[in-house]
């Protein structure tokens, strides 16, 4: 949803955007796909967050084949 909104704002409104991206509930492959789509849409600013624990849970744990924290997310963004 965030990617769609940001893409719309760039394409139709000509706005600079700051897309929020978390590593909650996403694999590295899914994050790479999001980053590729963001790049194609012209999104240049990304706020990298670990994210909150999923609803119904009391603590945050890394998703299987995912990232552990926002620092790892920043590293992946820089590589992509």
């Amino acid at each position: 949803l965030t990617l769609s909104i940001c893409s719309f704002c760039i394409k139709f409104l000509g706005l600079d955007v700051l897309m929020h991206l978390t590593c909650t509930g996403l694999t590295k492959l899914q994050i790479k796909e999001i980053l590729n789509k963001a790049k194609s849409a012209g999104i240049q600013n990304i706020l990298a967050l670990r994210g909150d624990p999923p609803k119904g849970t009391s603590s945050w744990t890394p998703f299987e084949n995912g990232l552990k924290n926002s620092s790892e997310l920043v590293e992946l963004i820089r590589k992509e």
Side-chain angles (χ1 to χ4, degrees):
L1 180 61
T2 300
L3 179 59
S4 298
I5 293 169
C6 289
S7 297
F8 178 88
C9 289
I10 290 172
K11 185 174 182 178
F12 296 106
L13 304 175
L15 298 174
D16 287 329
V17 297
L18 176 61
M19 186 177 95
H20 293 68
L21 180 60
T22 70
C23 41
T24 301
L26 296 169
T27 65
K28 288 179 189 176
L29 181 59
Q30 290 172 313
I31 293 170
K32 286 180 180 183
E33 289 172 359
I34 292 168
L35 292 173
N36 286 331
K37 289 177 183 177
K39 189 175 184 178
S40 294
I43 297 169
Q44 298 179 354
N45 303 304
I46 298 175
L47 178 61
L49 303 164
R50 183 201 70 185
D52 294 328
K55 290 183 180 181
T57 62
S58 59
S59 62
W60 192 92
T61 55
F63 199 67
E64 187 175 341
N65 297 316
L67 303 173
K68 296 177 195 157
N69 52 50
S70 59
S71 296
E72 287 186 359
L73 181 55
V74 169
E75 286 179 36
L76 184 59
I77 290 169
R78 289 182 174 158
K79 288 179 185 176
E80 295 298 311

